[in-house]
Amino acid sequence: MEQKLEAIRAAATQAISSAPSIDELESIRVKVLGRKGELTAILRTLGELSPEERSRVGQKSNQIKAELEAVLESRKADLLDSRINETLKEEWLDVTLASAGASRAFEPGRLHPLSQIQYEIENIFTSMGFTVLDGPEVETDYYNFEALNIPAHHPARDMQDTFWTEDGNLLRTHTSAIQVRGMERLKPPFRVIGPGRVFRYEATDASHENTFYQVEGMMVDRDISVADLIYFMKVLLKEIFGREVAIRLRPGYFPFVEPGFELDIHCLICDGKGCSVCKQSGWVELLPCGLVHPNVLRYGKIDPDKWSGFAFGLGMNRLIMMRYGINDIRHFQSGDIRFLRQF
Ligand code: PHE
């Protein structure tokens, strides 16, 4: 019996230490230590032995069992180790290699100054109860001109040289088209702004671009007057420039407002003393505006006998130029990273 045990021990130890895989190891374990295993079979026959033999063989079997379990565990650990080493040989990682996070400086992106000012303006107006509207950049003649009291052949169409599409639509020349869409959707009283990109068929120079950004504003309520308009424009300018800015209103002609104005601000670059930006006048034209023309309200299905409103069209590029002292509008579209990094 004891010889048999020794034979099992020797054979199993040998098999375990040369087992090529963890699966193989498992089948050896089953064969020797499993319920129907060789060693288990011997333990089962213990009852047939004399008490004295029983305790000797029993002790020996248990000792071999423990020993084989330990050998199995250590072989298993070795096999796992070598499996990991195999994997690592294929999938190695050079931690000294340059990576974006380690050796190269990581530069976060930022918002274009036009987006920044747009969000600022949206915040200022939404805090005063305005809703932000959007509209398409490719517009119809109706929304861009006709419903704004600019019929075909009206000379005011020449004020805004237009990019026409082949099918008779156009690239909107101003965000005023958003006013018309707003009136269609909303019942008075309402307050809306509509920021967006606009296009003019124009030669470019330091103060003209064929593509620029405006924010339209419109408030319709009972008895709106020029005083309301001035109030909201002053709040806007104070928030944007962080201080009170002097303004003046000059008469200005736009077919969709009556009366219409050009709102000028005191030039912040030279503080009104006269410079190239304000063309030595001390004032900068910033904000065309006025009271909404009754015809425009009618196009928007709003009764001009009951309701009145103001509207304005703020040029965002020029506002930023004033705020930062930028002297050429073409920077905005240049994509020049040196320009954009400054904001
Ligand atoms: N839409 C006009 C423009 O771009 C500006 C404007 C808007 C004037 C609203 C008055 C009222 O020239």
Side-chain angles (χ1 to χ4, degrees):
M1 190 64 86
E2 283 174 270
Q3 270 173 7
K4 209 171 166 188
L5 278 175
E6 281 305 336
I8 292 174
R9 185 212 318 240
T13 311
Q14 159 71 30
I16 290 168
S17 52
S18 61
S21 70
I22 289 176
D23 286 348
E24 190 76 12
L25 215 51
E26 177 61 10
S27 58
I28 296 170
R29 192 190 65 78
V30 172
K31 188 166 150 250
V32 182
L33 303 172
R35 265 192 306 125
K36 293 179 186 156
E38 294 164 0
L39 199 63
T40 319
I42 290 185
L43 284 167
R44 285 226 177 92
T45 62
L46 285 182
E48 297 156 20
L49 303 176
S50 66
E52 186 196 323
E53 244 188 329
R54 189 189 304 162
S55 97
R56 254 205 350 266
V57 174
Q59 254 178 23
K60 182 130 194 152
S61 314
N62 282 328
Q63 185 200 330
I64 292 175
K65 188 179 173 200
E67 192 185 304
L68 290 179
E69 274 167 355
V71 181
L72 271 168
E73 270 319 299
S74 97
R75 179 65 185 159
K76 190 172 175 185
D78 285 350
L79 285 172
L80 272 177
D81 267 358
S82 66
R83 192 199 273 176
I84 290 170
N85 284 333
E86 284 304 309
T87 317
L88 283 182
K89 249 183 241 163
E90 317 235 311
E91 299 177 13
W92 56 276
L93 181 73
D94 183 351
V95 294
T96 66
L97 207 64
S99 71
S103 61
R104 253 174 266 148
F106 177 66
E107 219 187 314
R110 64 193 80 197
L111 291 174
H112 192 282
L114 281 162
S115 304
Q116 292 182 23
I117 202 109
Q118 179 186 324
Y119 297 154
E120 254 180 73
I121 293 170
E122 287 179 5
N123 284 339
I124 294 167
F125 278 103
T126 50
S127 77
M128 298 191 288
F130 284 71
T131 309
V132 182
L133 295 184
D134 200 0
E137 291 179 348
V138 178
E139 266 295 6
T140 63
D141 185 293
Y142 176 80
Y143 287 108
N144 196 83
F145 290 127
E146 207 180 314
L148 288 164
N149 203 27
I150 317 175
H153 312 302
H154 191 289
R157 288 203 176 200
D158 294 345
M159 290 164 70
Q160 302 184 352
D161 292 315
T162 309
F163 287 107
W164 293 92
T165 65
E166 278 168 11
D167 57 1
N169 291 318
L170 50 84
L171 299 187
R172 69 177 172 203
T173 59
H174 51 185
T175 44
S176 298
I178 300 177
Q179 282 185 32
V180 184
R181 292 180 176 276
M183 287 187 288
E184 278 183 356
R185 272 173 51 187
L186 302 164
K187 294 246 164 300
F190 61 78
R191 309 168 181 201
V192 294
I193 56 166
R197 181 157 59 163
V198 301
F199 309 86
R200 303 264 172 102
Y201 184 52
E202 261 178 348
T204 57
D205 62 28
S207 48
H208 294 88
E209 251 291 15
N210 52 33
T211 304
F212 54 100
Y213 292 76
Q214 293 184 326
V215 186
E216 195 74 8
M218 184 185 226
M219 175 170 179
V220 176
D221 209 323
R222 310 261 181 210
D223 305 319
I224 293 291
S225 71
V226 176
D228 298 299
L229 172 64
I230 292 175
Y231 168 78
F232 282 101
M233 297 305 95
K234 278 195 152 169
V235 173
L236 169 69
L237 296 170
K238 184 169 179 221
E239 292 291 325
I240 291 284
F241 292 108
R243 61 179 157 113
E244 213 78 56
V245 254
I247 64 166
R248 72 177 186 191
L249 286 184
R250 285 179 295 118
Y253 175 68
F254 303 92
F256 33 97
V257 283
E258 179 57 37
F261 306 104
E262 291 286 358
L263 186 150
D264 299 341
I265 65 168
H266 213 208
C267 181
L268 297 171
I269 292 180
C270 61
D271 220 359
K273 290 188 198 72
C275 66
S276 65
V277 171
C278 61
K279 302 197 184 78
Q280 311 307 327
S281 73
W283 293 93
V284 181
E285 193 178 301
L286 189 71
L287 235 166
C289 52
L291 297 186
V292 183
H293 195 290
N295 286 349
V296 174
L297 290 173
R298 276 189 207 104
Y299 271 110
K301 308 240 160 17
I302 294 170
D303 182 351
D305 293 329
K306 291 194 183 130
W307 303 98
S308 52
F310 68 72
F312 62 88
L314 172 68
M316 285 200 274
N317 303 68
R318 194 168 292 175
L319 192 61
I320 301 173
M321 291 169 78
M322 261 292 120
R323 177 144 90 172
Y324 297 113
I326 298 165
N327 54 15
D328 195 322
I329 193 173
R330 290 168 294 192
H331 286 307
F332 291 102
Q333 301 250 105
S334 67
D336 189 333
I337 203 85
R338 293 166 305 177
F339 172 71
L340 296 171
R341 269 200 187 123
Q342 299 173 63
F343 301 96

